[in-house]
């Protein structure tokens, strides 16, 4: 039996006070609905139906690369009505998993439990035990514990409101039952909507099996209706990620002050200080140390590398035992070989820094190739851009570039060459040469400094 997923994402989300559709608001730098799509993929959903309404153009633009079947709900007449729109696309021999685009923390493991509990010709629902279930539909059970139905809060009696088991809204339905039951839903209720939850009572009335799985963590089934709730879910998500890092052998100075907005893999004995942000895919080797206030995006850091405070690394590859920062910025295409060093207030872009080479301070090195043992003095820049095109600077092994040098690309400095401080280099420096390219110094006597008028 195949699995199909229906993700309900048609709501406007007025409480977000935003022109952005609610389900596109980000959690960990990824739209809420994308988290739900990813969960459906992980459990093997063959067909993913996205039920949309408000903000259709923005949704389709943001999710254009996703393997979803777009299903329009022109009028928002309730959850049951939303799922009805999926029926024409639903295969007969399948299970239909109903998910919500604004419930981003649902875990694949929990969904697997729900699928395993889904009976043939019936349904299974995901419930949650809450100390304060205000806003949730209540699960009605008989004395033997069997589920009889779900009553929405606005339709519940005082006795029913005292029930602490709430309905998450997530359920898995046998396709045959869904196709027969959904068209029979009624909107005779306080909201005048077609409730998906009425399927439970209908299944019981037809003697179809109804099973319930209780979620182990309420955060998994919590929705975000406003920015306050979304911020709370963000903190939950980040706490989960921090715990995962620590269990994999990383030490965090403060687990509450780290943000993971992608996928992070760590080796053993990594040390991560406060306010570090990871974006995209980041890989850390063993014994990597990251000081406070660093941002790492789509990069790999090999063993024993130290990243000092306030540094940014993006789309770069760092070999073992390198040293970076503080206040360094490694832009895309930077590659550091073993034991290389990029120091404070240095910016690199599309540059290879060879083994043991150093760019210690106050420099910009872009579109460059540095062999091993190169020393770049403070204030050096590669002039790689003529206003239209980019050109490359090549510096061979053991070259020494003096402070405040401008290397006007395309240009090369051969092995063991030296460039005097303050030079503007426009042509090749041969092996072992000393290049001096600066005006002759003049010292004028009796110079009168300007004074204020």
């Amino acid at each position: 039996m195949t699995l199909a997923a229906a993700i309900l994402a048609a709501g406007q989300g007025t409480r977000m006070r935003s022109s952005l559709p609610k389900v596109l608001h980000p959690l960990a730098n990824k739209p809420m609905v994308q988290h739900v799509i990813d969960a459906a993929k992980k459990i093997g959903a063959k067909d993913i139906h996205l039920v949309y309404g408000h903000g259709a153009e923005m949704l389709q633009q943001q999710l254009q690369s996703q393997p979803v079947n777009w299903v329009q709900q022109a009028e928002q007449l309730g959850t049951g009505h939303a799922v009805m729109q999926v029926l024409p696309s639903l295969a007969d021999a399948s299970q239909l998993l109903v998910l919500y685009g604004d419930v981003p923390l649902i875990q694949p493991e929990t969904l697997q439990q729900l699928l395993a509990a889904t009976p043939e010709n019936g349904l299974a629902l995901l419930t949650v035990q809450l100390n304060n279930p205000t806003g949730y539909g209540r699960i009605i059970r008989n004395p033997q514990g069997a589920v009889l139905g779900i009553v929405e809060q606005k339709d519940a009696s005082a006795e029913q409101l005292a029930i602490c088991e709430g309905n998450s809204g997530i359920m898995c339905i046998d396709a045959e039952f869904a196709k027969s039951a959904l068209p029979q839903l009624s909107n005779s209720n306080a909201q005048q909507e077609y409730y998906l939850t009425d399927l439970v009572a209908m299944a019981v009335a037809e003697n179809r099996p109804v099973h319930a799985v209780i979620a182990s963590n309420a955060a998994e089934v919590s929705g975000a209706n406003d920015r306050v709730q979304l911020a709370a879910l963000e903190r939950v998500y980040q706490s989960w990620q921090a715990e995962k890092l620590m269990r994999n052998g990383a030490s965090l100075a403060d687990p509450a002050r780290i943000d993971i907005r992608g996928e992070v893999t760590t080796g053993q004995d990594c040390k991560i200080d406060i306010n570090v942000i990871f974006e995209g895919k980041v890989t850390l080797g063993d014994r990597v140390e990251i000081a406070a206030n660093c941002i790492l995006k789509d990069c790999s850091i090999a063993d024993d590398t130290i990243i000092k405070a306030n540094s940014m690394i993006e789309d770069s590859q760092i070999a073992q035992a390198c040293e970076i920062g503080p206040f360094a910025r490694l832009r895309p295409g930077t590659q550091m070989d073993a034991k290389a060093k990029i120091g404070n207030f240095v910016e690199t872009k599309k540059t290879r820094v060879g083994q043991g080479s150093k760019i210690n301070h106050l420099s910009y090195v872009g579109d460059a190739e540095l062999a091993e043992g190169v020393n770049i003095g403070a204030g050096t820049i590669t002039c790689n851009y003529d206003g239209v095109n980019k050109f490359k600077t090549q510096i061979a092994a053991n070259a020494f570039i003096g402070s405040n040098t401008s290397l006007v690309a395309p240009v090369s400095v051969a092995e063991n060459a030296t460039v005097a401080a303050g030079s503007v280099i426009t042509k090749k420096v041969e092996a072992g040469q000393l290049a001096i390219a600066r005006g002759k110094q003049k010292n004028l006597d009796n110079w009168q400094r300007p004074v204020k008028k």
Side-chain angles (χ1 to χ4, degrees):
M1 184 173 289
T2 60
L3 174 65
I7 301 175
L8 309 193
Q12 186 172 6
T14 55
R15 282 179 278 177
M16 284 289 185
R17 307 291 186 192
S18 174
S19 60
L20 191 68
K22 177 170 67 170
V23 297
L24 289 182
H25 280 261
L27 183 145
N29 211 33
K30 185 165 69 174
M32 286 194 284
V33 68
Q34 184 65 64
H35 287 270
V36 184
I37 292 171
D38 290 346
K41 289 179 184 176
K42 288 178 181 177
I43 60 170
K46 182 179 179 182
D47 299 309
I48 301 176
H49 307 284
L50 188 68
V51 182
Y52 69 96
H54 293 286
E57 185 175 338
M58 283 187 280
L59 273 168
Q60 291 177 336
Q61 181 179 5
Q62 187 83 11
L63 303 174
Q64 59 183 328
S65 64
Q66 296 303 307
V68 300
N69 175 42
W70 294 89
V71 179
Q72 186 178 22
Q73 185 187 18
E75 295 182 273
Q76 279 70 63
L77 302 177
T79 52
H81 178 261
V83 180
M84 284 184 210
Q85 313 311 304
V86 175
L87 293 183
S89 305
L90 184 62
D92 290 334
S94 64
Q95 293 176 324
L96 178 62
L97 176 64
V98 180
L99 301 169
Y100 297 83
D102 61 351
V103 181
L105 297 188
I106 186 64
Q107 297 299 295
E109 297 79 10
T110 300
L111 294 178
Q112 290 285 14
Q113 294 176 28
L114 184 66
L115 297 180
T118 304
E120 188 176 351
N121 301 321
L123 61 86
L125 59 151
L126 188 64
T127 70
V128 59
Q129 290 284 354
L130 299 165
N131 293 328
N132 179 10
T134 300
Y136 285 78
R138 306 304 201 274
I139 305 300
I140 309 301
R141 295 178 181 263
N142 66 16
Q144 290 73 42
V147 176
L148 299 178
I150 303 171
V151 59
E152 297 297 334
Q153 176 157 316
K154 291 186 177 181
D155 302 310
S157 66
E159 182 181 2
Q160 291 168 335
L161 289 174
I163 297 172
C164 291
E165 185 179 10
N167 172 44
S168 73
I170 296 172
M171 63 173 63
C172 192
I173 316 163
D174 181 86
E176 178 270 328
F177 175 53
K179 290 187 174 185
S180 66
L182 282 167
Q184 301 179 48
L185 291 177
S186 167
N187 65 346
S188 299
N189 51 60
Q191 293 287 89
Q192 293 188 317
E193 292 183 349
Y194 296 93
Y195 291 154
L196 184 65
T197 51
D198 288 347
L199 290 186
V200 176
M202 293 171 68
V204 171
E206 296 178 16
N207 291 317
R208 293 177 181 267
V210 177
H211 297 165
V213 174
I214 301 175
S216 59
N217 191 323
E220 285 194 54
V221 298
S222 296
N225 292 309
D226 58 30
R227 297 174 193 264
V228 174
Q229 292 176 341
L230 181 58
L233 292 184
E234 178 78 42
R235 287 301 97 209
V236 171
Y237 178 87
Q238 295 300 339
S239 70
W240 291 353
Q241 302 308 304
E243 180 179 344
K244 189 183 300 182
L245 289 187
M246 291 186 289
R247 293 195 183 280
N248 286 337
S251 295
L252 307 183
D254 184 351
R257 288 189 284 175
I258 183 173
D259 267 33
I260 297 173
R261 303 168 184 173
E263 178 185 341
V264 180
T265 304
T266 62
Q268 294 182 344
D269 299 314
C270 292
K271 296 180 181 179
I272 302 172
D273 211 329
I274 62 171
N275 301 331
V276 174
I277 298 174
F278 296 100
E279 297 184 8
K281 188 172 183 179
V282 177
T283 302
L284 306 181
D286 295 338
R287 299 173 300 280
V288 171
E289 296 184 16
I290 305 174
N293 309 317
C294 291
I295 301 174
L296 281 69
K297 180 178 181 180
D298 292 317
C299 58
S300 65
I301 315 295
D303 300 349
D304 300 302
T305 286
I306 296 174
I307 303 170
K308 297 181 180 180
N310 302 292
S311 296
M312 298 178 63
I313 303 173
E314 179 180 0
D315 195 13
S316 299
Q317 309 297 316
I318 313 303
Q320 65 270 22
C322 289
E323 188 175 325
I324 298 168
F327 293 97
R329 184 185 180 197
L330 279 59
R331 290 169 56 195
T334 297
Q335 179 182 336
M336 296 179 68
D337 293 346
K339 298 183 180 179
K341 181 178 178 181
I342 291 177
N344 51 287
F345 302 103
V346 171
E347 178 180 340
T348 61
K349 188 270 296 183
K350 207 172 180 181
T351 289
R352 179 182 178 183
V353 184
Q355 182 172 339
S357 291
K358 299 176 182 180
I359 312 173
N360 278 324
H361 356 256
L362 303 161
S363 296
Y364 168 70
V365 181
D367 294 287
E369 184 85 19
L370 280 61
E372 66 274 9
V374 171
N375 186 88
I376 302 292
T380 294
I381 61 171
T382 57
C383 306
N384 57 330
Y385 183 50
D386 66 0
V388 178
N389 301 300
K390 298 287 182 71
F391 298 96
K392 191 169 185 177
T393 298
Q394 294 181 304
I395 304 176
N398 302 310
F400 183 95
I401 310 299
S403 298
N404 199 33
T405 293
S406 296
L407 298 161
V408 183
V411 72
S412 63
V413 178
E415 61 272 12
N416 298 307
T418 300
V419 175
S423 294
V424 178
I425 301 300
T426 59
K427 62 182 181 180
K428 182 177 181 180
V429 182
E430 299 291 351
Q433 287 186 332
L434 168 64
I436 305 173
R438 58 194 182 205
K440 186 175 180 180
Q441 181 174 329
K442 294 180 180 180
N443 296 341
L444 302 180
D445 294 330
N446 303 315
W447 173 251
Q448 297 297 316
R449 291 184 179 177
V451 295
K452 289 185 178 180
K453 294 181 180 179

